Amino acid sequence: MADIRSFFGKKKKRSTQSVLDLTGETSSSEGAECVEEEEKPAAKKAKAAKAGEEKKEVSVSAALKKKKVLSFVFTGVLSISRDDAEAMAKSKGCRVVGSVSGRTDYLVAGTALEDGRPVAEGSKHQAAREKGVRIIGETEFREVLDSIVERRPVSVVAAVPKSSAQSWADKYRPKTAKDLLGNGDVAKKLKSWLESWAQCHIHGTKKLAPPLNQRAALLSGPPGIGKTTMATIVAAACGFRVVEMNASDSRSKKSFGALSFDSLSVVASKQQKCVIMDEVDGMSSGDRGGSRELARTIRTAKNPIVCICNDRQAPKIRSLANSCVDLRLKRPMKATIAKRLVQIAGREGLDLEQNAAELLAESCGNDIRQCLTALQMWGISSYDEMRSKLKKINKDAVLRATAFDGAKMILSDVERKTLAERAEAYFIDYNLCPLLVQENYVSAAANAKCGQAEKMDRLAAAAECLSDADAIEKRIRSDQAWSLLTTQAAFVVRAGVEINGMCVNPNFPSWFGKNSTTGKNYRLCSELATHLSSKISAARAAIRLDYLHSLLEYCGGPVLNGDVETTISRLDDYGLSRDDLLESMCDLSLSGFAKSLKSLDAKAKTAFTKEYNKGRHTSQALNDQQVAVVKKKKRTEFEDDDDDPDDDPDDDDDVEAKERDLARQFVAAKKQKTSSSSSSSSKPAAAKKPAVRPKTDFFKNK
Amino acid sequence: MLWVDKYRPQTLEKMDYHKELSQRLSDLAADGDIPHLLFYGPNGAGKKTRILALLRALYGSGADRVKLDRREIKTPSNKTVEVTTSSSNYHIEMNPGDAGTNDRFVVQEVIKEIAQGGSLHSKTGRVGYKVVVLVEVDRLTRQAQAALRRTMEKCASSCRLVLSCANPSKVIDPVRSRCLGIRVAAPTDAEICVVLQSVAAKERLVLPDKLAARVAKASNRNLRRAVLALEAAKVKQYPFDEECPIEPPDWEAYVHSIAQDITRDQSPQRLLACREKLYDLLSKCVPADVILKTLVKDLLKNLDDELKPDILKWAAIYEHRIQCGAKDIFHLEAFIAKFMSLYKHFIADMFG
């Protein structure tokens, strides 16, 4: 359990707390014993329930008698939807598992797999046969469920009057480190950091490895999972007095100054303070200069500072994060939360089913605080009731649905969504949705239950809609005509309706990958065009369409037959480099020749490279490029100060080094000043200088 | 050097076809004052060859002494755009389309710089302006073209623009109206044959007339392709005979395989396979409209007359969509799906 104050209790509690802390009193320990105690009654009740079940259920099977909860695995297509089937099992208190294990009781097999293969081919079916799990059909499944006698009628306890004074989220807030739910490793790390803080930063007796030697820590994670609670508890456990500052306090530059002054003065006193900066990503315009001041304070802090935020990626946080130990909290598992929910509900006299608790946790996005608030308000304990209630109330389900779920909703007729719902699904992520639908509509049509000709008709109709949608999207993006978004939605949804098929697991759009490859190849093509620009008349597009294949065979043909010299001289004629031939041109071409050149065996390739590097290639386009590369290199080399090209006796490297020198000379000449670092090696370079000067050699071929 | 580069005519007088056009251009050059020019015509018709010849006629051999420059241009949003220009003392040539969406700044910066560079009177005495050659202007964004139109008027005293593009309908009207349009039409098959024979004569080859005609036909009235194909054919087999194989370019063969695929089998699986092939083509920089055009031509070869009008109609629709939209694959795939659907029904009707 964690930071689970409900929002109405929050403000008041916080302000009193910080006052108390400042005056040096620890907050009162009301209800501290409850957590330890709450396990017993809950466990008792659970036992009683089990006993009751076991007495009545004689007919089902031997397995049931030994175990309290039946577990099911589903495979294949049932006559009802998978969700409904799972709900049926869960409402009887059974578990539904994703994969078959030795502890599974039944595998419920449908008529066929989703992709049309017989159900016996599925991996789950095979696993079940190996592990001896009983495989049953849908009718048997219903019989098994029917034979489980209803649990005793649900007792809806009027929970609110019992604890009207305090929200459960506050009442059952963890009081000790071991009550914290999940993220044990983070708590441990935070603790070790806090414990060694004084030694490290004040006494200087201990040195820590880089991430832990910062003066501040940054806890980040989604709301309602216990960040503040963890910080408070761990700091208290390490003997710190906790000073909390949150968004309700003013956190301007000025107030920070006061704080750091205050902190300095307390160093001498026995109990050291630990400052918890809550909600640092919420520092807004009112806190002008606050975050910068915070970063500054951290650098000189005499107290440990724990910053807490939700959004780790926010730009404000990024600068702060550099001077903090980065601790990220994850949402606890829903089973963990459910267990705690059942315990708390038990203490409040509510007999909560495990399945219901898990459903609640899931629907709240594993937010413990929200779970407790909802539970306290509704006082529901049974799975069925929870399910129907959540359906009505659960407004933000669409927020948690991913774009993939959206594509599924749009493309599958099995889900029987209304047009409005499908349009809503499109708006989950309107950037991704058209791409997802386009990626998956063909396979969805393949799964449709109709003839081949009908499938092609549907595909053609859907593809036309998607084509329309893309034209609209271009309009939206280039003219900022966002009012057309609903029109695009309509076309995308219509594509799904036309398909009327089934999409089980939408694939991620391959468009992104292909698009980036296209972009890369266009860059290569432009580079090629630059190198060729002085020799041929074609622009980029014509080079690709007309020249490429001829040029590739013209230049690459000889080297395939072992004639390296001809290839090199032809490359030089066109001002191309080795990489242009072996990388750019091969990557751009679709021919078999390009493939054979690309897979040129290593020996021939090295021979070619060696031969190529021996010669001097005086095309201006290439030289300019080398200069650009050397320019960049030079900056780093000056810092390293370890470039002495004359030291290297190796032949190849020597050529390379000379070339680098020449290039550097070139830069120097351009800049109209001599570089001091290359003066030692400038003589040989100067001698050959005319060879690389662009204007000398360049026009002779024309 | 490939023959196509080796035997490119250098002067206006030596052009093999469009004699009238060459005459008009040399008249312009002789006059010494040219207006802004817009060369347009399909690939391989000889636009660039004529532009370079015109520059030679204007400035003499000085126009041949070009050097490459890499320029870095800062956009207002502090992004650096790199363009490569090749320039002589008299002209500068660049492909502003390479700068992508930032082409506007490239156009503004470079032309302004040249316009401010002052006139050339002192150097040449005859022609008092520089020439800015912009190729592939149809790739320029609308904003860049708009930036061009005002600059063209302002800098007219010190420089002239020579624009070149394949598709003049993508050049905005105001720019077109400021230019003298010069259409360089694709050579006819007969004209191509003449050029091929003259190349063969220079290489001392014997080229059968029928083979020349076949090469010309396969080239789609693209002279560059024709000469390249002739050289490729020579590498494969010489002496020539009339039945020499003429290999299509790699991408054309690939499009051809798609056409075969979709006439053989129409199913969702086949459509997915075609999507992969289309992606292959697109990612290897083959423009979508070229793919569509080639594909339709291939399909029409073996199609019943009854289907042809429909297929052409849809091809036209999707070609338009390619221009309207941003993601080419959507439209190409839609065309193939439509073709499959129509073809499937046609086959079903025919065979029961």
Side-chain angles (χ1 to χ4, degrees):
Chain A
M1 191 164 43
D3 179 12
I4 34 178
R5 293 155 298 183
S6 72
F7 47 88
F8 37 88
K10 192 161 146 189
K11 273 260 159 75
K12 198 174 146 199
K13 169 90 182 178
R14 278 202 174 151
S15 51
T16 51
Q17 198 182 3
S18 57
V19 167
L20 284 173
D21 284 347
L22 284 169
T23 51
E25 288 173 21
T26 47
S27 52
S28 65
S29 61
E30 18 92 51
E33 72 287 358
C34 64
V35 183
E36 283 89 355
E37 276 190 11
E38 75 191 10
E39 302 217 351
K40 287 175 197 165
K44 263 184 209 164
K45 269 190 190 151
K47 262 183 204 163
K50 277 173 232 152
E53 274 172 16
E54 274 171 22
K55 265 179 215 164
K56 288 167 196 168
E57 292 158 15
V58 255
S59 58
V60 186
S61 71
L64 185 65
K65 277 177 197 161
K66 278 180 231 152
K67 280 204 272 181
K68 46 266 159 174
V69 180
L70 285 176
S71 67
F72 289 93
V73 176
F74 293 93
T75 180
V77 186
L78 303 174
S79 69
I80 48 176
S81 83
R82 184 68 70 82
D83 280 351
D84 289 338
E86 286 181 3
M88 275 170 68
K90 280 182 181 170
S91 73
K92 294 283 186 179
C94 303
R95 280 197 310 141
V96 176
V97 199
S99 57
V100 178
S101 74
R103 287 160 66 199
T104 313
D105 293 304
Y106 294 104
L107 176 76
V108 183
T111 48
L113 290 178
E114 282 84 350
D115 49 8
R117 288 179 299 150
V119 76
E121 274 183 28
S123 57
K124 284 181 189 169
H125 203 276
Q126 284 166 8
R129 268 177 286 158
E130 278 166 24
K131 288 176 180 149
V133 174
R134 240 182 102 187
I135 300 168
I136 55 173
E138 200 178 328
T139 42
E140 284 168 285
F141 166 63
R142 284 174 196 272
E143 280 165 19
V144 171
L145 284 189
D146 285 340
S147 64
I148 301 174
V149 181
E150 280 289 328
R151 293 178 62 173
R152 80 209 109 26
V154 179
S155 58
V156 178
V157 185
V160 183
K162 234 183 167 181
S163 58
S164 55
Q166 207 179 9
S167 79
W168 291 359
D170 254 351
K171 194 170 167 188
Y172 299 104
R173 188 179 182 167
K175 299 295 183 300
T176 62
K178 66 173 186 206
D179 295 335
L180 290 169
L181 271 192
N183 292 309
D185 51 331
V186 178
K188 226 179 259 172
K189 217 170 166 187
L190 183 65
K191 193 161 181 246
S192 70
W193 173 74
L194 274 172
E195 275 168 348
S196 53
W197 199 90
Q199 292 171 351
C200 184
H201 294 293
I202 295 180
H203 311 304
T205 50
K206 195 174 175 182
K207 283 226 165 100
L208 287 171
L212 284 176
N213 64 358
Q214 304 283 8
R215 285 169 185 266
L218 178 69
L219 289 180
S220 56
I225 59 165
K227 296 181 297 298
T228 313
T229 312
M230 178 187 283
T232 323
I233 287 179
V234 173
C238 294
F240 285 97
R241 197 152 61 77
V242 176
V243 182
E244 192 189 324
M245 287 184 96
N246 55 42
S248 64
D249 305 312
S250 160
R251 292 188 289 190
S252 61
K253 195 176 171 185
K254 216 168 143 191
S255 59
F256 267 119
L259 175 79
S260 49
F261 178 74
D262 179 41
S263 325
L264 283 170
S265 65
V266 187
V267 174
S269 80
K270 270 188 184 168
Q271 200 182 20
Q272 216 193 348
K273 276 184 190 172
C274 170
V275 183
I276 294 181
M277 298 296 309
D278 211 345
E279 297 147 19
V280 277
D281 47 355
M283 287 216 228
S284 53
S285 54
D287 310 322
R288 187 163 295 233
S291 55
R292 194 189 296 166
E293 185 63 19
L294 178 59
R296 210 183 61 78
T297 313
I298 285 173
R299 252 172 271 141
T300 57
K302 294 279 182 278
N303 301 76
I305 299 176
V306 181
C307 303
I308 298 177
C309 70
N310 289 134
D311 185 4
R312 171 69 182 72
Q313 303 305 330
K316 276 186 228 168
I317 302 300
R318 233 175 280 156
S319 60
L320 185 65
N322 291 334
S323 46
C324 292
V325 184
D326 192 8
L327 300 170
R328 300 183 193 202
L329 277 78
K330 293 192 194 83
R331 293 192 168 98
M333 306 277 285
K334 71 175 177 189
T336 327
I337 296 176
K339 206 172 144 199
R340 182 64 60 86
L341 286 178
V342 171
Q343 287 171 3
I344 293 175
R347 268 197 63 79
E348 292 289 337
L350 187 66
D351 186 18
L352 186 65
E353 289 173 24
Q354 176 82 14
N355 280 339
E358 278 186 18
L359 181 69
L360 180 62
E362 201 179 328
S363 74
C364 292
N366 292 3
D367 177 338
I368 313 169
R369 173 166 42 204
Q370 203 184 353
C371 287
L372 282 171
T373 316
L375 195 62
Q376 183 176 20
M377 190 170 80
W378 297 335
I380 299 171
S381 62
S382 82
Y383 179 81
D384 285 336
E385 211 177 329
M386 184 75 80
R387 196 158 177 264
S388 62
K389 192 92 178 176
L390 284 175
K391 250 186 193 163
K392 273 184 218 155
I393 296 171
N394 195 1
K395 257 189 186 170
D396 45 5
V398 81
L399 290 180
R400 271 193 310 279
T402 62
F404 289 87
D405 301 331
K408 214 159 136 184
M409 271 187 231
I410 291 175
L411 282 173
S412 301
D413 77 320
V414 188
E415 307 209 2
R416 295 207 172 72
K417 299 282 181 197
T418 63
L419 287 180
E421 276 169 328
R422 292 190 199 202
E424 205 59 43
Y426 160 86
F427 279 106
I428 291 171
D429 187 342
Y430 55 78
N431 292 314
L432 198 55
C433 191
L435 284 166
L436 270 169
V437 171
Q438 202 269 345
E439 180 71 29
N440 294 294
Y441 78 103
V442 182
S443 52
N447 292 338
K449 295 183 181 72
C450 63
Q452 205 74 317
E454 167 77 17
K455 276 181 191 172
M456 290 323 298
D457 289 350
R458 290 185 186 185
L459 276 173
E464 194 186 345
C465 296
L466 289 170
S467 156
D468 274 322
D470 180 56
I472 295 168
E473 185 170 347
K474 168 92 176 285
R475 219 29 205 281
I476 294 175
R477 307 272 163 189
S478 59
D479 300 351
Q480 304 291 309
W482 290 97
S483 57
L484 288 174
L485 209 54
T486 46
T487 320
Q488 198 199 359
F491 274 108
V492 173
V493 168
R494 190 180 148 198
V497 175
E498 297 278 9
I499 287 292
N500 206 6
M502 192 166 73
C503 174
V504 187
N505 287 318
N507 289 327
F508 185 78
S510 52
W511 183 85
F512 288 103
K514 304 284 185 194
N515 191 41
S516 96
T517 319
T518 311
K520 189 199 89 191
N521 281 343
Y522 269 111
R523 263 201 313 284
L524 287 181
C525 207
S526 291
E527 201 173 283
L528 213 55
T530 314
H531 290 174
L532 288 168
S533 61
S534 55
K535 309 288 178 186
I536 67 174
S537 66
R540 197 176 74 175
I543 285 178
R544 169 65 192 92
L545 295 180
D546 301 340
Y547 258 104
L548 187 75
H549 58 284
S550 294
L551 203 54
L552 188 61
E553 289 186 22
Y554 177 71
C555 294
V559 78
L560 263 190
N561 302 327
D563 183 3
V564 177
E565 282 78 15
T566 316
T567 291
I568 293 178
S569 78
R570 286 181 178 178
L571 283 178
D572 284 346
D573 276 352
Y574 274 101
L576 293 170
S577 71
R578 171 198 168 275
D579 288 352
D580 284 333
L581 177 66
L582 291 185
E583 313 282 332
S584 308
M585 282 161 75
C586 285
D587 280 352
L588 284 169
S589 176
L590 285 158
S591 64
F593 182 85
K595 264 180 212 152
S596 54
L597 192 58
K598 189 96 191 166
S599 56
L600 189 64
D601 71 291
K603 220 172 171 181
K605 222 175 207 170
T606 345
F608 175 43
T609 311
K610 210 165 183 178
E611 194 64 28
Y612 183 84
N613 285 342
K614 259 188 206 162
R616 199 161 302 287
H617 309 285
T618 49
S619 150
Q620 198 207 340
L622 290 180
N623 274 329
D624 278 359
Q625 209 171 35
Q626 275 171 353
V627 170
V629 172
V630 172
K631 254 187 197 171
K632 270 178 201 162
K633 259 192 193 168
K634 213 172 161 190
R635 263 177 228 146
T636 50
E637 272 174 13
F638 269 129
E639 286 163 15
D640 295 345
D641 209 18
D642 63 343
D643 58 325
D644 203 345
D646 291 335
D647 275 356
D648 224 326
D650 188 65
D651 191 39
D652 274 358
D653 279 6
D654 206 10
V655 171
E656 208 180 294
K658 269 180 199 161
E659 258 177 17
R660 224 186 323 151
D661 279 346
L662 288 171
R664 190 185 293 144
Q665 195 67 21
F666 200 10
V667 178
K670 266 195 173 175
K671 283 186 175 173
Q672 300 283 321
K673 63 176 183 186
T674 47
S675 159
S676 58
S677 77
S678 64
S679 61
S680 61
S681 57
S682 66
K683 273 176 197 165
K688 277 168 194 159
K689 215 160 99 184
V692 275
R693 287 311 289 263
K695 280 185 183 172
T696 49
D697 224 18
F698 186 54
F699 309 103
K700 283 181 183 163
N701 293 342
K702 288 209 133 185
Chain B
M1 284 273 151
L2 290 164
W3 296 347
V4 70
D5 301 312
K6 208 163 157 189
Y7 300 119
R8 175 177 305 119
Q10 303 287 317
T11 59
L12 288 168
E13 291 75 42
K14 284 188 187 158
M15 298 291 160
D16 290 294
Y17 51 93
H18 297 333
K19 298 277 183 200
E20 210 175 305
L21 174 62
S22 306
Q23 189 55 47
R24 194 154 358 121
L25 288 175
S26 30
D27 288 351
L28 274 175
D31 185 40
D33 192 18
I34 59 166
H36 297 308
L37 298 177
L38 171 65
F39 283 80
Y40 60 94
N43 267 335
K47 301 184 292 292
K48 186 74 180 295
T49 307
R50 281 170 179 75
I51 293 175
L52 290 177
L54 175 68
L55 288 175
R56 277 185 207 107
L58 275 173
Y59 299 111
S61 59
D64 281 340
R65 300 182 176 281
V66 292
K67 73 176 212 297
L68 290 180
D69 267 324
R70 258 164 202 263
R71 282 161 184 266
E72 286 188 351
I73 289 158
K74 275 231 157 103
T75 65
S77 56
N78 243 345
K79 220 174 138 190
T80 35
V81 189
E82 203 171 81
V83 282
T84 311
T85 61
S86 59
S87 54
S88 70
N89 286 334
Y90 308 103
H91 83 285
I92 180 166
E93 182 195 324
M94 62 177 184
N95 190 343
D98 283 347
T101 48
N102 290 313
D103 49 4
R104 180 158 64 103
F105 309 106
V106 175
V107 167
Q108 286 172 337
E109 284 291 319
V110 175
I111 298 179
K112 254 186 218 159
E113 198 182 306
I114 292 160
Q116 284 161 0
S119 59
L120 287 168
H121 273 295
S122 53
K123 283 180 195 159
T124 58
R126 194 172 74 89
V127 183
Y129 50 82
K130 278 190 176 186
V131 170
V132 179
V133 181
L134 301 179
V135 293
E136 290 194 304
V137 269
D138 41 0
R139 265 173 69 207
L140 284 182
T141 60
R142 216 158 259 268
Q143 290 87 342
Q145 295 190 25
L148 209 54
R149 66 191 264 201
R150 190 77 190 114
T151 334
M152 284 169 93
E153 282 174 359
K154 274 179 146 177
C155 70
S157 63
S158 58
C159 74
R160 299 284 186 279
L161 293 182
V162 174
L163 313 176
S164 151
C165 67
N167 186 355
S169 64
K170 280 191 182 166
V171 180
I172 57 172
D173 275 344
V175 169
R176 265 192 284 170
S177 94
R178 282 167 174 78
C179 295
L180 172 66
I182 293 178
R183 175 161 179 263
V184 185
T188 61
D189 284 358
E191 283 166 339
I192 290 179
C193 285
V194 172
V195 176
L196 289 178
Q197 287 295 1
S198 83
V199 168
K202 280 175 200 157
E203 284 285 322
R204 295 172 206 283
L205 303 174
V206 184
L207 176 63
D209 279 338
K210 275 197 178 154
L211 179 63
R214 275 177 58 225
V215 171
K217 187 146 179 45
S219 72
N220 268 331
R221 298 180 64 189
N222 179 334
L223 184 60
R224 181 187 292 131
R225 269 182 71 176
V227 178
L228 285 168
L230 181 68
E231 186 166 1
K234 191 244 158 184
V235 172
K236 288 260 148 37
Q237 181 191 344
Y238 190 79
F240 291 127
D241 58 44
E242 288 175 3
E243 303 306 315
C244 267
I246 303 165
E247 274 189 29
D250 55 338
W251 56 272
E252 217 174 86
Y254 210 74
V255 174
H256 185 63
S257 77
I258 296 181
Q260 279 181 332
D261 283 353
I262 61 180
T263 37
R264 206 181 303 138
D265 167 31
Q266 299 83 33
S267 66
Q269 285 73 23
R270 179 62 69 191
L271 185 60
L272 278 181
C274 285
R275 175 190 291 178
E276 281 310 308
K277 284 194 166 185
L278 288 174
Y279 266 137
D280 278 348
L281 280 166
L282 288 170
S283 66
K284 306 276 180 188
C285 307
V286 183
D289 48 347
V290 174
I291 298 177
L292 186 63
K293 211 166 155 185
T294 320
L295 181 63
V296 171
K297 273 189 183 164
D298 254 359
L299 287 173
L300 288 181
K301 274 181 207 157
N302 305 317
L303 213 56
D304 195 278
D305 281 345
E306 198 183 310
L307 265 178
K308 278 180 182 168
D310 249 6
I311 298 297
L312 278 172
K313 177 187 123 190
W314 286 103
I317 288 175
Y318 284 115
E319 195 194 7
H320 180 237
R321 293 276 172 79
I322 288 172
Q323 308 299 332
C324 296
K327 300 185 185 81
D328 298 334
I329 188 78
F330 278 48
H331 314 291
L332 291 175
E333 194 175 290
F335 171 72
I336 288 181
K338 190 75 205 175
F339 175 83
M340 283 182 168
S341 155
L342 289 171
Y343 197 74
K344 187 111 193 157
H345 280 289
F346 176 74
I347 298 289
D349 289 347
M350 225 160 82
F351 299 107

